[in-house]
Amino acid sequence: MKTFTLAILPLALISAFSHAAEEKAVEQAEVDTVYVTAEKQLQQSLGVSRISKDDIDKRPAVNDISEFVRTMPGVNLTGNTATGQRGNKRQIDLRGMGPENTLILIDGKPVNSRQSERISMRGERNTRGDSNWVPVEEIESITVLRGPAATRYGSGAMGGVVNIVTKKVSKEFKGQVNLYANQPQDSKEGATRRIGFNLSGPIIQDTLGFRIYGNLNKTDADAADINAGHGNDSAAGVEGVRNKDIAGRLQWKISPAQTLILDSSYSRQGNIYNGDSQNSNATNTRTVITDTATGAVISDTESTLREIYQSGIKETARLYRSAYSLTHDGAWEWGDTKNVISYERTVNSHLPEGLAGGPEGSYTGLDFVQSRLKNLRFSSEANIPFKLGVDNVLTVGAEFTDSKLDDPASNSQGFKDQGKTDVFDGISAVRGGKASQRNWAAYVEDNISLTDKTHLIPAIRFDHNSDSGSNWSPALNFSHQIGENWLVKGGVARAYKAPNLYQTNPDFILYTRGQGCPLSAPGSVRCYYMGNNNLKPETSINKEIGLEFNKNGWQASATYFHNAYRNKIVIGDQLIATSNIGNWLLQWENTPKATISGIEGNLVVPLHDTLKWSNNFTYMHKSEDYQGNPLSLVPKHTINSTLSWTPNERFDANLTFTHYGRTKPRGVAINRLERDGNPRAGVTPLTSEHNQTQVGSYGIWGINAGYNWNKRVAVRGGVSNLFNKKLYRTTAGAQTYNEHGRAFYGSLKVSF
């Protein structure tokens, strides 16, 4: 009965607000909210960074916005785990919690396309994440929320939230054509070319407007041998990517108080192959599996990789994302409302990958297979100002999400051990490709203005997931003004993440020929891992406290954060069944606690009316799971610095510098491969961090300048990695990644 009530709550709210529209519509020509909601107040917290359109223009991303978000405090780019697999597929990682705990939003709506990519034995996905679905030229702003401020968004936001806001519908007809090119100095590094356009304006003045944009982008792959001679000849460089995007918006001003927005978008992303696989098996690495009874070759990984590379196949994966949404915004005498219906469909078309042992993630054929992910979401929210002794703005919201995954290719792995069939009592050998989840949620939060200088924001959220059950997420945030220039802020919140559609699916099987077995398994044993539909959700208690200073353009802040991570989901080591031939069956399990803590802050110095020096820093004090390994591979400290010179309205120049501290690798073995190593594959034993490849500290400089010829034409040029500091991947399954060297770039924007 409880879940049924939650399921209908969004619809009930929509109905109620529609009725209110008929009864209490505001008559004035324009309604502006003069009160501050809990969400707006939270976005003033120390754990929030805002990236404006001007910021993006002055430091254009080569391809993905993650490159720019990376320069904010508390942000790094990593893989999903600290294994270093797919090390060049680096995604947004907030406060060291890993990309899977970073929620990406587009105009406030969650993006879930990466969930269409299978999760590996060690928790990695073959994905760049969901930060590349909007062309950089079509972004109005980006908001990065870290820590307790992000708990209102539900599952997947334990690290934080990145909200990409697209450009608005213009009141006047206007358009723009933009060109961008990036050329690395090293011919083995991939170059980028991009062209895009946008049009916006009224169809019926002050009533109906539109916006449309399109984008074509290609970043070439690194040369297959870019890392040769630098420690591991089989490690691939950075894959290339093709982007094709088109999106449209219709905005109907129903009345001065009501707006209806219809959004539609279609995007295609293609991975341009350069020898990359999960385990960095390049074209000179061969893994052959034969039938022990007949001697027949079951799979030949090297042959497939060589075929791919020599056949002229340009892409190994193609993601097709379609998204539709209908948003109703209302402003009433008693408050404001937002109701959203959205639908997202992702088709992940890729070459088949091995799911077994050593060749896991390596391509095993040339015929594309597909997974399909569908997400339907309803959400309703009302902001209600009232006075109860002091000023309050109450926020009440509810949402419903239905997720469906069909991945017969990844869920087809059976109980096969080198030509033999394992039989486990009570475990079906028949595999199905479909999985689904539903989530119902309701939340309440209040922005309480205790005084003009003191604000308190209590909140609570309830989620019920059809797989992992119910979860409560309370939160308490505060801010207090000290004098005219000082502000203290802090908060504590409980956040959660539901298990994904692979981890809870018993039909999802991964096989290891022994090296991936737990340390307790006898040497003769092979292991299977399966999904577990009894998993608990991951949770964290996020705390932060900090101080901010503002005076005459000077800004400074420092924030301490601490995350107590519970029930992290990993491949388990508890035996659940033994087969007829003695092999083991294990499953995904919840683990004990992990801890993350650190300090982040910023300093802005107005050196002159035309000269500003902006800095931020992050120091990771602790990142450690229950076994003593880091949760993700992030530098011990990071410093970002920008010197901006704007002598007039037409010209600006910027000098940038980023310093990355040493990155500590894994040091505690959790399976045979990590304990014993594999010299053939270039994997050294995890007996100590001292025999692992570490990323030492290094710095990257950049310079750029822009000039507005007139109101219609703007140009910008620059040099990234000015002093040509490079990093190469050095070991298979590596702790390291490629940092590209010096590159020259330029952009041209023509408006009309």
Side-chain angles (χ1 to χ4, degrees), residues 569-587:
I569 300 171
V570 300
I571 287 292
D573 57 5
Q574 300 299 310
L575 177 65
I576 62 173
T578 303
S579 78
N580 59 317
I581 57 176
N583 290 330
W584 283 17
L585 180 64
L586 307 100
Q587 61 186 358

Side-chain angles (χ1 to χ4, degrees), residues 290-310:
T290 59
D291 189 316
T292 55
T294 66
V297 176
I298 298 174
S299 69
D300 186 339
T301 303
E302 191 271 346
S303 295
T304 301
L305 289 170
R306 189 173 293 280
E307 271 190 274
I308 296 170
Y309 193 72
Q310 295 180 350

Side-chain angles (χ1 to χ4, degrees), residues 709-734:
W709 289 99
N710 48 49
K711 293 183 178 180
R712 298 184 180 275
V713 180
V715 296
R716 180 166 295 276
V719 183
S720 59
N721 202 341
L722 187 62
F723 299 107
N724 203 30
K725 174 63 180 180
K726 293 184 180 182
L727 294 180
Y728 297 91
R729 292 197 83 185
T730 55
T731 59

Side-chain angles (χ1 to χ4, degrees), residues 346-377:
T346 303
V347 177
N348 180 6
S349 179
H350 59 92
L351 295 179
E353 295 181 343
L355 304 179
E360 182 191 4
S362 297
Y363 299 113
T364 58
L366 302 180
D367 296 323
F368 280 76
V369 296
Q370 291 185 345
S371 69
R372 293 176 174 85
L373 178 68
K374 301 176 182 178
N375 285 280
L376 178 65
R377 181 174 178 267

Side-chain angles (χ1 to χ4, degrees), residues 98-131:
E100 291 284 298
N101 288 308
T102 299
L103 182 63
I104 306 296
L105 309 175
I106 297 178
D107 292 324
K109 297 177 283 290
V111 186
N112 299 284
S113 293
R114 60 181 155 175
Q115 304 294 328
S116 67
E117 180 65 44
R118 75 169 184 91
I119 194 163
S120 76
M121 189 175 298
R122 295 171 179 84
E124 300 288 348
R125 295 185 195 265
N126 184 19
T127 176
R128 289 179 297 277
D130 287 317
S131 55

Side-chain angles (χ1 to χ4, degrees), residues 53 56-58 60-61 136-138 167 175-182 192-198 214-216 705-718 745-752:
K53 176 182 175 296
I56 299 173
D57 288 342
K58 290 179 179 181
V136 292
E137 289 83 5
E138 308 308 323
K167 292 182 177 179
Q176 187 178 80
V177 176
N178 49 77
L179 303 172
Y180 175 88
N182 182 290
T192 296
R193 303 291 185 269
R194 182 166 67 246
I195 182 171
F197 77 93
N198 63 70
N215 172 70
L216 293 174
Y707 185 73
N708 298 319
W709 289 99
N710 48 49
K711 293 183 178 180
R712 298 184 180 275
V713 180
V715 296
R716 180 166 295 276
Y745 62 88
S747 67
L748 170 66
K749 293 183 179 182
V750 180
S751 303
F752 56 90

